[in-house]
Amino acid sequence: SVTDGNANLTSASTLAENLQELVEWRDRHAPKMPIWMTETGYDSAGPFGTTEAIQAARVPRVVMLCLANGVEKVFVYRESGSTPSRHACSGLLRNDFSPKPSWYTLETMIRQLHGVRGGARRLPHPDKNVWLLEWQANSEPLLTAWTVNDTAILGIDFGSCTVTDS
């Protein structure tokens, strides 16, 4: 298991809970003011880094959590960078501009969420390791799903549907 260097280890609240609190604060003090996440991402090496594969899994998740919880725009830090030093490896492209796996997973997420308006709601699942977000895209439901750690059985019969795996 790889430790998430971007996680706040001193807080028991999750990113989703923190975003919900921010939206509630905004609604009380500055209704309808847009919320932007102007810098998020994951190093894929260096002192705070993970691996390119873990970066590829986490970048779309953090963007989806932001969008699902009331953030209007999300900017991923950085476009390019693969030098294994503090935050210099956060890019979706390597220094030679070749795409990292996160380039493709983020692209897949953007394509799949095209047409989605508003946030999403988290659906319950008996396994707390499984995250399910239900979105509305062009009057059709769209489900995004992932596990926080390792693998799990989704255990849902969707009938006829399209499955896209990043």
Side-chain angles (χ1 to χ4, degrees), residues 72-87:
E72 186 176 306
K73 295 183 189 233
V74 182
F75 298 85
V76 176
Y77 176 84
R78 336 173 18 146
E79 178 180 300
S80 64
S82 54
T83 304
S85 62
R86 188 177 197 126
H87 308 305

Side-chain angles (χ1 to χ4, degrees), residues 80-98:
S80 64
S82 54
T83 304
S85 62
R86 188 177 197 126
H87 308 305
C89 201
S90 297
L92 303 178
L93 302 171
R94 295 181 189 93
N95 290 344
D96 65 3
F97 298 107
S98 62

Side-chain angles (χ1 to χ4, degrees), residues 38 44 91 100 112 117 122 131 142 144:
T38 58
S44 61
K100 292 183 186 178
Q112 292 301 310
R117 296 289 177 251
R122 184 170 181 195
W131 276 72
L142 174 70
T144 55

Side-chain angles (χ1 to χ4, degrees), residues 106-166:
L106 187 62
E107 184 275 333
T108 300
M109 184 219 67
I110 291 167
R111 186 170 19 91
Q112 292 301 310
L113 292 182
H114 180 74
V116 166
R117 296 289 177 251
R121 68 182 182 109
R122 184 170 181 195
L123 299 178
H125 193 277
D127 184 346
K128 293 188 185 308
N129 186 44
V130 175
W131 276 72
L132 303 171
L133 294 178
E134 181 185 34
W135 311 79
Q136 286 299 313
N138 304 320
S139 75
E140 292 290 323
L142 174 70
L143 180 70
T144 55
W146 67 85
T147 58
V148 176
N149 296 301
D150 301 316
T151 61
I153 302 296
L154 191 55
I156 300 172
D157 181 6
F158 291 106
S160 179
C161 67
T162 300
V163 175
T164 303
D165 187 350
S166 64

